[in-house]
Amino acid sequence: MAADKPSSKGQAWFCATGLPSDIIIEVDDMTFHLHKFPLISKSRKIDRLIEEQGKKSSTVTVTKQKQRVTGNEIEEEEETEEYQDQQDDEEEDRYQISLQDFPGGSDAFETAAKFCYGVKIDLSSSTVVPLRCAAEFLEMTDEYSEDNLISKTERFLSQSVFKSLKASIKALKSCESVMTLAESLGIVERLIDSIALRASSTDPTLFGWPVNDGIVEAKGASAQALWNGIETGLRRKALARTSNVESWFEDLALLSLPLFKRLISTLKRRDLSPEVIESCLMCYAKKYIPGTSRSNRKPSSSLAAAISESEQRELLETIISNLPLEKTHSSSSTATRLLFGLLRTANILNASESSKAALEKKIGFQLEQATLDDLLIPSYSYLNETLYDVDCIERILGYFLDGLEERNAAGIEAENEGNNDNIINSSRLPALMLVGKLIDGYLSEIASDANLKPEKFYNLAISLPDQARNFDDGLYRAVDVYLKAHPWIPESEREKICGVLDCQKLTLEACTHAAQNERLPLRAVVQVLFFEQLQLRHAIAGTLLAAETAPMNAGRLSGTRRDDDEEEEEQQDEEEERVAMSRGEQGSTTWRAAVRENQVLRLDMDSMRTRVHQLERECSTMKKVIQKIEKGNPRGSGWRGSLNKRLGCKFKTQVCDSHESTVTETRRRRHHHHQE
């Protein structure tokens, strides 16, 4: 039966067919004025309800007819009562049905009514599940009527929804309003299995975390995929991939927590890659948990503002418990920053200790990806006197070192088995050095805290092995800041704090600063001066040795050039390999620093040579003055005798005499050499 398009007027819905409606159906707060024949042709439930109501109305009609016969015997009945009875008869001809707890509400019933009238309906992934449940409630089966609504919605689910990842997620979201009936029909389970299947078979590069980094890389690649200002196919593919990544995770984050937990459990049972699971959890946490980012304290979803503290705690513990413990290949600084945000939120919400420990261990396995700002976790407990939670960072560092030992053991086993897997060994040392630099910066930041005990500072400073630092300049800066902020600590504690420094690893600038630093204890200053002089002595000795061996090497090369060609080539090859290795390990920055240190060393040597000449001239002048004084006081009763009596010491001029003679002889030899 074809019909005109229905229209909705306020809270009442009318079907404009030109015929008066004979049935009124109430769904929620909407009243539908319809016709019974189109409805009973498709819905068995409405047919049964009309039949039941028809039996009741026939009984009521017989009773009223008897009352009318009795009333006709009374001639004094008023006309108003007859008119009212006629109105009652017209209302009784209409059927009134109230459908309580209708699945999908008035929108789903409106779509089902249109289907009964033969109006074309448009199905989508967001509306097909409520409509399928509505069809089940109205019993619109193929046994009752051919090509009914149940079969139509099932075909759409099989042909469109289950074959698309995004459509399955949207359909799963729509199940929340009809969860009981959708669960009994098995729709929820089928949608979750479809999402897990599609996620495992999709290109894994789409799930690389973080999502924003992947989007930036895709946009960067698309920007480069231009040739003479013409958009190429690579650019279009990159933009399509970017929109796909964005929409997939945005749709996933719209699920309620119970559905999301079931989905994650199914993904883990199917042994999906940890990168996909971690990406899903991180996106969901970023949308609903506040405080995951320092720049944006508010959650990205407006629905999260209505979530109570207990619900946020439950959500946070659920996400932490499902996070893969091992370090994923797609871990980056953005993912690590989000983990630190979750840890700060866990401290604020008083999450369970097991959740905090699991999160700290997860962070420890990728600590080299963190920044100094991530480590500055405020101390939320009244038991901690310090401004920042130093104990938490110490535990995270312990997890990092434990993971480093496990990777070291795995690398040794791989080498013993004969596998040429040098990736683990080569990546172990840079990670340790990055963490060493990070901890030195953290120590410098927390050193100004007046409540930081020397034991905590000392324990955190010595927790790293010696290989973590090429130079101790960063650690020296932290020690200097701590001593400046804690001038009241005793000398023994100062010496203990300075004991974390390795003076042999201090650069020339740090040694110069330490030698003039009044805050350092005397023993530390003496050690710095000793190693500084030792470095200068080695540098001068190396320079002199190179100057002496240069002519000898030149003579040998001129006499035996042909015999040493092969050795020279080997030495050059070794030198090139050594330079390449040094560049690979330290980079161009370390190379420039070494050149700069050599220049500074040469300037220091020149200044020392100038100072020696000045001392020679001063010594010569002092000798002349002493000789004049001795000539004016031949008896020895001059200034020397008075000083001997007052100070009880004797001055000897032999050092100056011998030194002067040595200098004079040296100058004479130089002058004689120049004349020759």
Side-chain angles (χ1 to χ4, degrees):
M1 174 181 176
D4 297 335
K5 290 185 178 179
S7 60
S8 178
K9 298 179 181 180
Q11 298 298 321
W13 193 92
F14 297 85
C15 184
T17 59
L19 297 176
S21 60
D22 55 1
I23 183 172
I24 298 175
I25 299 179
E26 295 180 359
V27 179
D28 296 338
D29 57 347
M30 183 72 72
T31 302
F32 294 89
H33 298 264
L34 304 173
H35 305 85
K36 64 178 181 180
F37 290 108
L39 297 179
I40 63 177
S41 65
K42 294 292 185 180
S43 173
R44 178 179 294 172
K45 185 177 183 66
I46 293 180
D47 184 22
R48 186 169 62 251
L49 292 175
I50 290 176
E51 184 179 355
E52 292 176 357
Q53 197 173 75
K55 292 180 181 180
K56 293 180 181 179
S57 62
S58 62
T59 305
V60 173
T61 302
V62 171
T63 304
K64 286 193 174 184
Q65 286 177 355
K66 292 180 180 179
Q67 291 177 356
R68 287 177 182 176
V69 171
T70 306
N72 289 331
E73 294 176 356
I74 302 173
E75 297 178 354
E76 296 179 354
E77 185 178 5
E78 298 180 357
E79 295 180 358
T80 55
E81 293 181 357
E82 293 179 356
Y83 178 77
Q84 188 175 3
D85 291 338
Q86 292 178 1
Q87 293 291 333
D88 293 339
D89 293 339
E90 291 179 359
E91 290 181 0
E92 287 172 0
D93 292 338
R94 283 186 178 184
Y95 296 94
Q96 292 186 356
I97 299 174
S98 178
L99 300 178
Q100 302 293 334
D101 300 328
F102 188 83
S106 59
D107 294 334
F109 182 80
E110 180 180 346
T111 307
K114 290 180 180 179
F115 177 80
C116 294
Y117 278 91
V119 179
K120 182 180 179 181
I121 59 175
D122 295 328
L123 297 178
S124 65
S125 56
S126 301
T127 60
V128 64
V129 175
L131 191 58
R132 170 66 179 87
C133 296
E136 186 69 23
F137 183 86
L138 295 174
E139 301 179 11
M140 303 174 70
T141 61
D142 285 350
E143 291 80 3
Y144 184 77
S145 177
E146 186 179 357
D147 195 16
N148 215 336
L149 187 57
I150 290 180
S151 60
K152 185 178 181 64
T153 52
E154 284 291 343
R155 281 196 304 270
F156 186 81
L157 285 171
S158 303
Q159 297 176 4
S160 300
V161 176
F162 292 145
K163 292 184 178 180
S164 172
L165 180 61
K166 291 173 55 180
S168 298
I169 296 174
K170 291 181 179 179
L172 184 61
K173 170 64 179 176
S174 66
C175 290
E176 296 175 1
S177 60
V178 289
M179 180 58 66
T180 304
L181 189 54
E183 194 75 55
S184 62
L185 295 175
I187 299 177
V188 177
E189 192 68 27
R190 286 187 292 168
L191 287 172
I192 291 177
D193 292 339
S194 173
I195 294 172
L197 179 63
R198 298 297 168 186
S200 59
S201 61
T202 310
D203 184 8
T205 57
L206 294 178
F207 303 99
W209 179 260
V211 179
N212 294 333
D213 289 356
I215 293 171
V216 171
E217 291 176 1
K219 290 183 178 179
S222 63
Q224 296 176 0
L226 289 175
W227 181 79
N228 270 351
I230 301 174
E231 187 176 12
T232 60
L234 179 61
R235 176 183 172 88
R236 289 191 294 270
K237 290 180 180 179
L239 292 176
R241 176 188 172 194
T242 300
S243 60
N244 194 3
V245 172
E246 289 177 343
S247 59
W248 192 89
F249 285 104
E250 288 177 357
D251 295 337
L252 186 68
L254 294 176
L255 297 177
S256 63
L257 182 58
L259 282 178
F260 185 75
K261 290 170 64 175
R262 291 181 58 180
L263 177 60
I264 293 298
S265 301
T266 305
L267 293 178
K268 294 177 73 173
R269 285 198 306 268
R270 288 183 174 269
D271 295 331
L272 207 63
S273 63
E275 287 83 1
V276 179
I277 298 176
E278 182 175 349
S279 301
C280 297
L281 293 169
M282 287 299 184
C283 280
Y284 200 85
K286 190 176 180 181
K287 191 173 185 65
Y288 290 102
I289 298 179
T292 54
S293 175
R294 289 183 182 270
S295 59
N296 186 14
R297 297 292 184 180
K298 297 180 180 180
S300 59
S301 175
S302 59
L303 298 176
I307 299 178
S308 62
E309 182 177 339
S310 59
E311 292 174 344
Q312 289 182 357
R313 187 185 304 110
E314 180 186 0
L315 172 60
L316 180 63
E317 292 178 353
T318 300
I319 291 175
I320 295 174
S321 62
N322 288 283
L323 277 174
L325 185 58
E326 66 275 5
K327 178 182 177 181
T328 58
H329 297 290
S330 59
S331 298
S332 65
S333 59
T334 306
T336 308
R337 188 178 303 113
L338 283 174
L339 290 175
F340 273 102
L342 292 178
L343 182 58
R344 287 192 295 269
T345 307
N347 292 330
I348 296 174
L349 296 177
N350 293 324
S352 61
E353 294 297 329
S354 59
S355 299
K356 294 180 183 179
L359 196 56
E360 290 173 357
K361 193 171 184 179
K362 171 72 176 177
I363 294 173
F365 286 158
Q366 55 193 57
L367 185 59
E368 68 274 9
Q369 301 288 346
T371 60
L372 180 58
D373 186 64
D374 297 332
L375 267 62
L376 298 177
I377 302 176
S379 180
Y380 297 102
S381 176
Y382 65 92
L383 299 176
N384 294 332
E385 299 178 354
T386 56
L387 180 62
Y388 297 107
D389 196 346
V390 183
D391 296 333
C392 177
I393 301 302
E394 193 170 356
R395 291 192 298 268
I396 291 175
L397 183 59
Y399 290 131
F400 169 77
L401 296 176
D402 293 341
L404 206 63
E405 291 180 359
E406 293 177 0
R407 281 182 279 177
N408 189 12
I412 294 175
E413 291 179 359
E415 291 178 359
N416 294 334
E417 292 176 0
N419 298 330
N420 295 325
D421 189 7
N422 295 325
I423 298 177
I424 298 178
N425 295 330
S426 62
S427 62
R428 186 172 60 248
L429 188 58
L432 183 60
M433 294 176 65
L434 286 174
V435 173
K437 185 177 180 180
L438 186 65
I439 294 299
D440 289 346
Y442 180 74
L443 288 170
S444 300
E445 287 292 330
I446 67 173
S448 59
D449 189 356
N451 295 324
L452 182 61
K453 296 294 189 292
E455 292 80 7
K456 284 191 176 182
F457 183 88
Y458 177 80
N459 293 332
L460 186 59
I462 65 172
S463 57
L464 286 172
D466 295 336
Q467 298 84 0
R469 301 181 179 95
N470 284 337
F471 301 99
D472 277 7
D473 289 13
L475 187 58
Y476 167 71
R477 179 177 179 273
V479 170
D480 184 36
V481 173
Y482 186 82
L483 295 179
K484 183 179 180 180
H486 302 77
W488 57 82
I489 61 176
E491 189 71 14
S492 59
E493 294 290 343
R494 289 175 173 269
E495 293 182 355
K496 183 179 179 181
I497 292 297
C498 294
V500 302
L501 295 173
D502 187 358
C503 298
Q504 297 183 18
K505 290 185 177 181
L506 294 177
T507 60
L508 189 60
E509 292 83 356
C511 288
T512 304
H513 186 277
Q516 302 173 359
N517 194 346
E518 298 178 355
R519 290 183 288 270
L520 296 180
L522 182 59
R523 179 178 297 179
V525 175
V526 171
Q527 291 179 354
V528 170
L529 291 174
F530 173 76
F531 286 108
E532 182 183 11
Q533 295 297 325
L534 191 62
Q535 290 179 2
L536 290 174
R537 183 178 299 176
H538 287 319
I540 294 172
T543 304
L544 295 176
L545 182 61
E548 291 178 359
T549 55
M552 298 175 61
N553 292 334
R556 292 177 182 176
L557 288 174
S558 61
T560 59
R561 185 177 300 274
R562 295 179 180 178
D563 297 333
D564 296 335
D565 284 339
E566 296 179 357
E567 295 180 0
E568 184 180 357
E569 292 177 357
E570 292 178 358
Q571 291 178 358
Q572 289 179 356
D573 294 338
E574 292 177 358
E575 184 68 21
E576 291 176 356
E577 292 177 359
R578 186 164 58 254
V579 171
M581 291 175 62
S582 64
R583 288 179 179 176
E585 294 176 353
Q586 299 180 358
S588 59
T589 305
T590 308
W591 180 260
R592 288 194 298 268
V595 173
R596 195 181 305 112
E597 289 179 2
N598 290 334
Q599 293 176 354
V600 173
L601 187 60
R602 291 177 183 175
L603 293 175
D604 291 339
M605 292 174 62
D606 294 339
S607 63
M608 289 179 62
R609 190 179 296 108
T610 304
R611 181 60 178 166
V612 169
H613 292 327
Q614 291 177 357
L615 291 174
E616 289 178 353
R617 288 194 296 269
E618 291 176 2
C619 187
S620 178
T621 304
M622 291 175 61
K623 181 178 180 299
K624 291 179 181 179
V625 173
I626 292 172
Q627 288 177 356
K628 290 180 181 180
I629 294 174
E630 288 179 349
K631 288 179 181 180
N633 299 280
R635 297 180 180 180
S637 60
W639 64 274
R640 187 189 300 272
S642 62
L643 285 178
N644 289 338
K645 292 179 181 180
R646 293 180 181 180
L647 303 177
C649 59
K650 297 181 179 180
F651 289 90
K652 296 183 180 180
T653 59
Q654 295 178 358
V655 177
C656 293
D657 292 341
S658 61
H659 187 69
E660 178 65 22
S661 60
T662 305
V663 173
T664 305
E665 291 176 0
T666 305
R667 290 181 178 177
R668 288 177 180 176
R669 285 198 298 270
R670 291 179 180 175
H671 181 70
H672 181 67
H673 178 70
H674 287 302
Q675 288 180 353
E676 291 179 353

